[in-house]
Amino acid sequence: MSDATREAMEYDVVIVGAGPAGLSAAIRLKQLDPSREVVVLEKGSEVGAHILSGAVLDPCGLDALIPDWKEKGAPLNTPVKQDNFYLLGEAGRLRVPNFPMPPLMNNHGNYIVSMGNVCRWMAEQAEELGVEIFPGMSCSELIYGENGEVKGVVAGEFGKNPDGTPGPAYEPGMELHGKYVFLSEGVRGSLSKEVIAKYDLSAGKEPQKFGLGMKEIWEIDPEKHNEGEVTHTMGWPLGGNAGGGSFIYHLENNQVYVGFVVHLNYKNPYLYPYMEFQRFKHHPMVAELLKGGKRVAYGARAISEGGYQSMPKMVAPGVALLGCSVGMVNVPRIKGNHNAMLSGKAAAEAAHDALEAGRSSDELSAYEDEVRNGAIGSDLKKVRNVKPLWSKYGLGASLAMGGLDMWTNTVGFSVLGTLGHGKSDAEATEPASKHKQIDYPKPDGKLSFDRLTNVSFSMTNHEESQPAHLTLKDASVPISVNLPKYDEPAQRYCPAGVYEVVSEEGKDPRFVINFQNCVHCKTCDIKDPSQNINWVTPQGGDGPNYPNM
């Protein structure tokens, strides 16, 4: 906690994060009571700048929140027309037919969207209702009340020196106090992480599991473009090295989203997720699609994959966790945005009822009840065993057993009960001595690209004179522990080339953090085997500037 003297502003509800969950909450609060004082604080330079998602959107969240979204011009322009699923080998593919898949896997009625643009549109709807939205305002601290409740946040602190002391242009920021504070920071948010630890919200729950999602936008030959086509693949190039798969979505304007997800519970510290993505694009099916096209954007983001059994308690005194701060992704559907919207709506309704009853700064237990027992819980319960089956038994068994389990859950029961996840993703990493290095092909500059070149297509930027927002609990651990034991996997798991081990002749190796490259994916905070890296928010507006992600 800093000693700065700050001005304070009072609100009914303070919302951290202008993603689908936070904006849904803001909109719903104003729908229920136009006089409600609501503020949304967003660390990106604009709403949508830090939003990265696949994304095929199930519109049920929007239907519940803004039923006339079509008339209001929501950017859902590309309905899914074709659904493909392939198992890949190195040179070939096997089409998995759609008919044996459970109904929940059907994408009929869904839309290929840019979630960044959906959030920009939602922000316009919120502002028309009178919500105050402040982009470029990182929330660097929580403020606690006399009884241990969360009562607000510090936002807009600028101008610190690299050592953390106030610089010549230092601005202490403001305190924004709320009768309730909603944290909708997305996966592994720094304030959410603090709240979960402080109030022990994960007690009795399975550890959260994660994937790393990497995505490029390509403009392709119009003759190869098939607007509305959705393709998912599994298998090559990951094989038995890691779980994961790809997505290829044809949106409008001859563009395709090409994405790759690597589950972060992989064992081999030599695995290089970014290079697995680049290698994937050389599969004949993908290479033929992209040939003659150009990549126009790149980004990466962690995905919560633990599902129903990994969701922590969502409320503590004065605070509620929304959307991916809790982890509401339906893993086999690769969808969580609809649940994020529904969670924001549910939190808003619980806060509205509490405020109407004269309450404040207590636990919004009605919100948690709705999430676990309503539409979100129903969506996630049906697929709760897919991820643990995949982790324990591999791709083939998970397809068969997971498919059967989803079918039985569709009619209301599971022969498997609820399976656990076991280790965290950090604990899953094994010593390098147990594994062989993986020889990755050099990027060709046409289909595949080196990391730093691709990072330039994320438009990420950080003011270099500020303190590094990637902090080490113990600065000696990367070289003294992680390098000899794990060959320091931060060199490889980071999709933005932030971490380097620099070796110079006659000198000891050094661990270098190029924080300016960071795209805020949070993988380091999740996967570091020593759990020594702590991601904290940089000053407001810094980070990626995604156009249509």
Side-chain angles (χ1 to χ4, degrees):
M1 191 79 171
S2 62
D3 300 324
T5 302
R6 300 183 174 96
E7 292 182 32
M9 296 179 68
E10 304 291 331
Y11 290 90
D12 291 313
V13 180
V14 173
I15 300 172
V16 179
L23 291 169
S24 295
I27 289 167
R28 187 63 181 145
L29 282 161
K30 281 292 199 176
Q31 287 174 340
L32 292 166
D33 184 350
S35 69
R36 195 73 70 206
E37 295 289 335
V38 181
V39 65
V40 179
L41 304 161
E42 165 56 39
K43 68 181 173 66
S45 59
E46 62 166 351
V47 173
H50 291 180
I51 297 290
L52 186 143
S53 184
V56 172
L57 179 66
D58 180 338
C60 66
L62 265 186
D63 290 341
L65 185 71
I66 307 174
D68 57 346
W69 54 263
K70 274 189 183 173
E71 291 75 17
K72 289 188 172 177
L76 280 67
N77 304 319
T78 309
V80 176
K81 295 175 184 172
Q82 184 178 336
D83 226 346
N84 307 318
F85 187 75
Y86 295 104
L87 288 175
L88 297 187
E90 187 165 358
R93 63 185 183 180
L94 175 67
R95 174 80 187 264
V96 179
N98 293 53
F99 70 83
M101 294 190 186
L104 63 89
M105 297 296 287
N106 185 357
N107 273 312
H108 179 74
N110 298 330
Y111 293 82
I112 301 169
V113 301
S114 156
M115 278 311 297
N117 290 339
V118 170
C119 288
R120 290 179 178 101
W121 176 83
M122 291 178 71
E124 291 171 5
Q125 309 309 303
E127 288 181 322
E128 284 178 13
L129 293 169
V131 175
E132 293 181 40
I133 301 178
F134 296 123
M137 293 286 274
S138 288
C139 296
S140 52
E141 293 178 31
L142 289 167
I143 301 166
Y144 296 98
E146 293 177 2
N147 300 312
E149 78 280 10
V150 174
K151 77 170 194 177
V153 297
V154 173
E157 191 174 19
F158 290 92
K160 283 185 176 180
N161 293 317
D163 64 359
T165 58
Y170 177 69
E171 296 176 25
M174 297 191 66
E175 291 190 5
L176 294 103
H177 298 170
K179 293 166 184 171
Y180 294 101
V181 175
F182 290 172
L183 300 181
S184 50
E185 302 172 287
V187 176
R188 198 77 163 192
S190 49
L191 301 185
S192 304
K193 188 176 161 185
E194 179 181 330
V195 164
I196 290 168
K198 179 179 175 66
Y199 299 103
D200 200 18
L201 301 184
S202 289
K205 311 295 183 186
E206 286 293 311
Q208 186 59 266
K209 306 293 283 184
F210 300 92
L212 168 58
M214 297 157 285
K215 176 181 173 183
E216 295 171 355
I217 304 178
W218 280 72
E219 290 178 1
I220 64 167
D221 181 344
E223 291 187 7
K224 300 175 185 176
H225 189 255
N226 182 22
E227 187 171 313
E229 180 181 334
V230 164
T231 296
H232 293 107
T233 78
M234 298 162 82
W236 190 86
L238 291 173
N241 284 329
S246 83
F247 59 86
I248 302 172
Y249 302 155
H250 292 243
L251 61 158
E252 61 261 44
N253 301 322
N254 298 316
Q255 289 193 333
V256 292
Y257 293 149
V258 182
F260 200 78
V261 178
V262 177
H263 298 174
L264 289 177
N265 61 350
Y266 62 83
K267 297 175 182 178
N268 184 352
Y270 291 118
L271 189 90
Y272 196 158
Y274 175 82
M275 291 306 296
E276 297 285 351
F277 176 29
Q278 298 308 300
R279 181 156 65 169
F280 157 76
K281 289 181 290 176
H282 287 274
H283 188 277
M285 178 186 83
V286 188
E288 179 55 35
L289 176 70
L290 301 181
K291 185 178 177 183
K294 66 174 182 176
R295 160 223 43 186
V296 296
Y298 166 75
R301 188 70 171 96
I303 305 163
S304 58
E305 295 184 338
Y308 190 78
Q309 56 271 57
S310 295
M311 292 195 299
K313 186 180 175 186
M314 299 162 213
V315 293
V319 66
L321 306 181
L322 277 53
C324 278
S325 296
V326 175
M328 298 181 181
V329 171
N330 182 313
V331 170
R333 295 184 77 199
I334 326 177
K335 289 180 181 61
N337 290 304
H338 62 299
N339 285 336
M341 292 180 184
L342 292 172
S343 78
K345 179 175 178 286
E349 289 167 354
H352 170 76
D353 290 347
L355 292 167
E356 287 289 291
R359 292 162 40 208
S360 65
S361 298
D362 57 356
E363 293 193 3
L364 292 171
S365 55
Y367 162 60
E368 176 135 10
D369 291 343
E370 171 58 30
V371 169
R372 294 197 185 273
N373 301 312
I376 298 170
S378 175
D379 185 47
L380 297 179
K381 275 183 197 172
K382 292 173 187 171
V383 301
R384 66 190 181 278
N385 292 322
V386 171
K387 171 69 175 176
L389 282 169
W390 198 341
S391 300
K392 291 177 182 177
Y393 303 113
L395 175 57
S398 75
L399 279 174
M401 296 167 66
L404 176 62
D405 192 60
M406 283 192 284
W407 266 112
T408 61
N409 271 289
T410 301
V411 294
F413 73 96
S414 170
V415 293
L416 300 175
T418 299
L419 300 176
H421 294 300
K423 296 177 181 177
S424 72
D425 292 334
E427 293 166 336
T429 313
E430 292 182 346
S433 59
K434 290 188 173 185
H435 296 275
K436 292 181 180 177
Q437 293 192 34
I438 302 171
D439 185 24
Y440 289 100
K442 188 177 179 182
D444 68 355
K446 297 174 183 175
L447 289 177
S448 50
F449 311 97
D450 69 82
R451 230 175 357 181
L452 293 184
T453 300
N454 234 1
V455 168
S456 70
F457 282 78
S458 71
M459 280 70 81
T460 196
N461 184 58
H462 295 84
E463 171 56 53
E464 294 188 19
S465 64
Q466 68 182 302
H469 64 280
L470 300 157
T471 63
L472 302 178
K473 297 172 187 174
D474 182 339
S476 70
V477 163
I479 300 302
S480 65
V481 178
N482 284 359
L483 186 60
K485 189 170 182 180
Y486 304 104
D487 195 42
E488 186 43 275
Q491 302 173 86
R492 291 173 292 279
Y493 59 59
C494 173
V498 168
Y499 302 101
E500 290 181 278
V501 175
V502 177
S503 299
E504 298 169 294
E505 196 172 336
K507 296 182 180 179
D508 292 334
R510 293 181 294 116
F511 188 63
V512 177
I513 301 176
N514 304 300
F515 74 87
Q516 298 88 348
N517 293 358
C518 180
V519 294
H520 299 195
C521 74
K522 314 291 177 69
T523 302
C524 54
D525 195 298
I526 294 160
K527 186 59 177 170
D528 177 41
S530 299
Q531 286 295 276
N532 187 51
I533 299 174
N534 189 39
W535 192 102
V536 297
T537 189
Q539 69 182 19
D542 288 2
N545 283 283
Y546 294 136
N548 302 304
M549 290 290 196

